[in-house]
Amino acid sequence: MAFAPSPIPSRTQYVLEAVKHGILTGGLSPGQALVETELATRFGVSKTPVREALKTLAGTGLVVMSQYKGATVRTVDAAMAHEVYDVRLLLEPAALRRTLARRASLEPARAALIRADAAEDRAERSLANREFHRALYLPCGNPLLARMLDDVRDQAALVSTVAWAAEPSWEREAGEHREILRRALAGDADGAATALHDHIASFVQRAFPEGDHA
């Protein structure tokens, strides 16, 4: 007998998504303590799903677990930012080339750009921008490559959240996204990959100059 999946997420998933949203929208600041009892009261759950959610978020790099300090929102510095973006620089342009070689549909990327332009707040714009990048690499034909990029998505979003709080530069990034998509739609794999590489590199260098990178 088949059962339809429940539309109600588990308590752990609910807490995980709520805390992640808080971190990636700046509602929870880097370095802020994540106290299990406080979160359990806030979300109306026991401490167990909170603990499991925090462990999962620690695995994705958004939360740091310490024996003495407990859980805190991960702080972003130049070293962390460059580590994450170095991975993106190595993998994303290569994935985009594979996507274009397979002639995969770029309609999801175009739709994400439209959502980003229509976004009413930073959180919505950040989510749309993340979906734009994912739409470029997800159809690359190599599930492992796509998963590796998925694994750094949250950390990259945390970097951009901190950077945007200091200097809102999303209009510049939006223009770069449009140029990447224009070249991709024209079938210019080299041009699109180069534009993507330059886009990723220039963002992290502006936000966290190399001189600050230990």
Side-chain angles (χ1 to χ4, degrees):
M1 182 175 179
F3 291 92
S6 170
I8 302 173
S10 70
R11 289 180 174 85
T12 298
Q13 187 67 26
Y14 168 70
V15 174
L16 188 155
E17 293 299 333
V19 174
K20 180 197 281 191
H21 184 268
I23 294 172
L24 296 183
T25 58
L28 295 170
S29 305
Q32 182 173 337
L34 300 170
V35 182
E36 290 181 9
T37 52
E38 292 178 0
L39 292 174
T41 300
R42 177 175 171 181
F43 298 122
V45 299
S46 69
K47 289 200 299 181
T48 299
V50 172
R51 187 175 303 118
E52 292 304 314
L54 294 178
K55 285 180 181 177
T56 300
L57 290 169
T60 67
L62 291 182
V63 168
V64 175
M65 306 286 283
S66 167
Q67 181 179 352
Y68 303 104
K69 293 183 179 180
T72 56
V73 178
R74 184 173 184 177
T75 57
V76 175
D77 58 18
M80 178 269 195
H82 281 271
E83 284 175 7
V84 172
Y85 274 66
D86 280 350
V87 173
R88 295 185 64 194
L89 284 169
L90 287 169
L91 300 183
E92 275 196 49
L96 175 57
R97 287 178 184 275
R98 289 169 179 251
T99 293
L100 296 181
R102 300 178 72 238
R103 300 185 183 276
S105 172
L106 296 173
E107 193 54 39
R110 192 204 303 268
L113 280 191
I114 293 172
R115 289 197 301 276
D117 287 341
E120 297 182 357
D121 57 40
R122 190 171 70 189
E124 190 178 347
R125 186 179 295 109
S126 177
L127 181 60
N129 283 347
R130 293 172 70 202
E131 289 305 317
F132 170 76
H133 280 272
R134 191 167 193 260
L136 297 180
Y137 69 70
L138 192 63
C140 69
N142 184 325
L144 178 58
L145 177 56
R147 282 199 302 274
M148 291 172 71
L149 283 164
D150 273 351
D151 284 345
V152 299
R153 281 181 85 216
D154 288 345
Q155 294 179 63
L158 180 58
V159 171
S160 63
T161 295
V162 172
W164 281 359
E167 180 186 351
S169 60
W170 48 74
E171 289 186 3
R172 174 172 177 165
E173 276 101 58
E176 293 171 354
H177 284 174
R178 285 189 284 272
E179 178 62 14
I180 293 166
L181 183 61
R182 184 190 70 78
R183 296 187 184 193
L185 289 170
D188 180 4
D190 289 340
T194 298
L196 177 59
H197 181 281
D198 292 348
H199 163 69
I200 296 170
S202 65
F203 177 82
V204 73
Q205 187 58 37
R206 285 196 311 273
F208 299 91
E210 198 69 30
D212 297 338
H213 179 25

